Amino acid sequence: MTLLFVYGTLKQNGSANHLITENGGKFISKATTDGRYHLYHRLKLNFPCIIESDTVGKGVQGDIFEIPDKAWGVLDRYECVLAGLFKRQEIELSDGQKAQAYLYGDDDLSESFEELPDGVWR
């Protein structure tokens, strides 16, 4: 089992949370990322994404799940990892704990992005 930090549709009560729960994932706790991670809203396609930055903010708020190995294929497909839309990587949480997370696959924010400085996807 590996920890996964989620912040959008995969969160508890999110529209895609069933992809975690139906594949053996278990909710652990609420969490916030380290301040170098920033939450953005990709306006044209209406989805959230995390970008790592040199500037420090409030971090991103989300949920931590324990994910069994068998679930990664489903989650990676959902996040379009092979197409490069998102990349799964280890991040640091505000308490120093490490977890996997899906970060936006491109650092170019020139196409209709809005930062959500409170770090909450609604």
Side-chain angles (χ1 to χ4, degrees):
M1 295 266 203
T2 305
L3 295 181
L4 172 65
F5 174 82
V6 296
Y7 53 89
T9 59
L10 291 171
K11 288 192 309 188
Q12 283 187 309
N13 302 317
S15 61
N17 180 259
H18 66 279
L19 296 174
I20 291 176
T21 58
E22 290 172 0
N23 287 287
K26 294 184 179 24
F27 175 76
I28 301 297
S29 66
K30 298 284 184 192
T32 303
T33 67
D34 180 79
R36 70 180 175 267
Y37 301 100
H38 299 262
L39 184 64
Y40 286 85
H41 178 194
R42 184 160 183 204
L43 299 169
K44 281 187 179 180
L45 300 176
N46 194 33
F47 63 75
C49 54
I50 291 179
I51 305 281
E52 186 174 2
S53 170
D54 292 335
T55 62
V56 176
K58 292 182 178 181
V60 179
Q61 295 180 33
D63 297 337
I64 295 287
F65 284 87
E66 226 175 40
I67 305 295
D69 290 343
K70 69 177 185 170
W72 289 115
V74 170
L75 297 172
D76 286 353
R77 276 190 298 282
Y78 175 73
E79 296 290 357
C80 300
V81 170
L82 284 178
L85 184 62
F86 284 89
K87 57 189 173 189
R88 179 166 41 103
Q89 71 180 55
E90 185 177 79
I91 65 165
E92 187 172 345
L93 303 175
S94 61
D95 65 2
Q97 188 172 219
K98 308 274 190 203
Q100 294 289 306
Y102 290 98
L103 276 64
Y104 190 60
D106 187 353
D107 291 336
D108 179 11
L109 300 180
S110 60
E111 184 187 324
S112 300
F113 286 84
E114 172 187 27
E115 185 171 4
L116 303 175
D118 66 353
V120 179
W121 175 255
R122 292 176 177 78

